Amino acid sequence: IVVLALIVAGFCWYVSTALTPSYHGKTADEWAEELESEDREKKSRAISALINLGPNKRTIPKLIELLQDDEEVLRQKILIALMNSSINSEEGVKPIVAAMKDNNVAVKRGCALVLASIRAAYPSVVECLRTGLSDPDMSVRRECASALGRLGKASTAAVPDLIKTCSNAEPTIRSVAASALGQIGGPAESAIPVLKKMLDAKLEVEYVRVISAHSLSKIGPEKAEVKEALLQALSFSLGPVRKGASEAIVRLKPIPV
């Protein structure tokens, strides 16, 4: 009986070991231990291993902490590793959502990029990205707006915040917010007046006006006011804005009688 128990225990150990993914003979947890090394080469190799294995719920917090590293190349590798993570639950994104409250700009910006990449369409994610739209740092605001757009209709609750962001002093932020509204689509209908104003503003930056035209056609392809705004832009605008309006008009649907 003792021999049989030992055989069964050995078999179970073999099966569990064989089914645990490894890279160069080490599991993700073993590679994660090397993230704490003072040797930067060793740390970099560990991140490369986690890119191949995909980080898990135990290694993700360690990678997030390393986003504070001063070396840009290392931070980029960490982002790639996090984007390869197989997070498929709201519980799983908790460490990333929590890190959005960090004081370090690189950490917040990186986490927004990761949330956008894995398309974590959960209420807690949308809420933290909405908060990020008011961050003091422009790059964080930009990535949060972009992430909300990537989440599409799941970001409907953020429409008022994105509309407000369309009046930001920075044209880059305005353009990303306008684009995000277009990606949300129909549920962002309340943004039509703001986008029409942005499209019609002769002093607005051209690329912001072009993005506004495309977003209008995605939000209200069957609405008469959208068609009128795009036709007006087509008639009275030149260059990229005219081209953007003509491309957006193609997306329109027949207006209901």
Side-chain angles (χ1 to χ4, degrees):
I1 294 174
V2 173
V3 173
L4 181 61
L6 289 171
I7 292 172
V8 171
F11 177 75
C12 291
W13 175 85
Y14 171 77
V15 170
S16 64
T17 303
L19 293 178
T20 302
S22 63
Y23 182 75
H24 289 305
K26 293 182 182 180
T27 65
D29 287 343
E30 289 171 330
W31 280 113
E33 291 177 10
E34 297 192 9
L35 293 175
E36 299 173 13
S37 172
E38 293 297 322
D39 185 330
R40 299 192 74 78
E41 278 298 316
K42 200 172 184 180
K43 189 181 291 186
S44 182
R45 283 197 302 272
I47 296 169
S48 296
L50 290 173
I51 289 174
N52 282 275
L53 290 170
N56 56 38
K57 62 182 180 182
R58 293 180 297 279
T59 58
I60 285 173
K62 292 184 178 182
L63 287 168
I64 291 173
E65 188 177 341
L66 282 176
L67 283 173
Q68 299 185 48
D69 196 277
D70 292 332
E71 190 178 318
E72 178 68 21
V73 174
L74 200 67
R75 291 203 305 270
Q76 290 299 324
K77 288 182 70 174
I78 292 166
L79 287 176
I80 294 170
L82 288 169
M83 289 173 186
N84 284 351
S85 61
S86 54
I87 301 172
N88 54 13
S89 69
E90 188 161 19
E91 182 69 23
V93 298
K94 272 187 175 180
I96 303 175
V97 169
M100 286 293 293
K101 297 177 182 178
D102 198 282
N103 291 327
N104 187 286
V105 169
V107 171
K108 291 186 286 187
R109 184 173 60 237
C111 287
L113 279 165
V114 172
L115 291 171
S117 176
I118 63 177
R119 284 182 161 79
Y122 304 111
S124 60
V125 170
V126 173
E127 189 57 36
C128 85
L129 292 173
R130 289 176 68 184
T131 302
L133 291 176
S134 302
D135 193 90
D137 185 81
M138 185 184 83
S139 65
V140 174
R141 296 198 300 273
R142 181 188 66 231
E143 296 306 336
C144 285
S146 177
L148 286 166
R150 292 284 295 275
L151 298 182
K153 288 182 172 59
S155 294
T156 298
V159 168
D161 307 277
L162 288 167
I163 290 174
K164 183 179 178 182
T165 305
C166 283
S167 61
N168 191 277
E170 293 292 335
T172 302
I173 302 295
R174 294 198 298 275
S175 69
V176 177
S179 176
L181 289 164
Q183 289 171 284
I184 293 170
E189 183 179 343
S190 57
I192 288 178
V194 171
L195 292 170
K196 283 173 58 182
K197 185 177 179 180
M198 292 168 75
L199 172 60
D200 191 48
K202 302 298 186 289
L203 297 179
E204 180 58 277
V205 181
E206 281 189 334
Y207 69 83
V208 176
R209 296 178 68 190
V210 171
I211 289 171
S212 298
H214 284 289
S215 290
L216 280 168
S217 67
K218 294 174 184 176
I219 293 171
E222 73 297 333
K223 293 191 173 294
E225 60 179 321
V226 168
K227 182 177 182 180
E228 182 183 348
L230 292 174
L231 286 173
Q232 186 171 337
L234 187 63
S235 301
F236 297 103
S237 302
L238 298 172
V241 178
R242 182 184 177 89
K243 184 174 183 290
S246 66
E247 291 171 347
I249 284 173
V250 174
R251 232 182 252 115
L252 300 184
K253 297 177 182 177
I255 298 171
V257 178

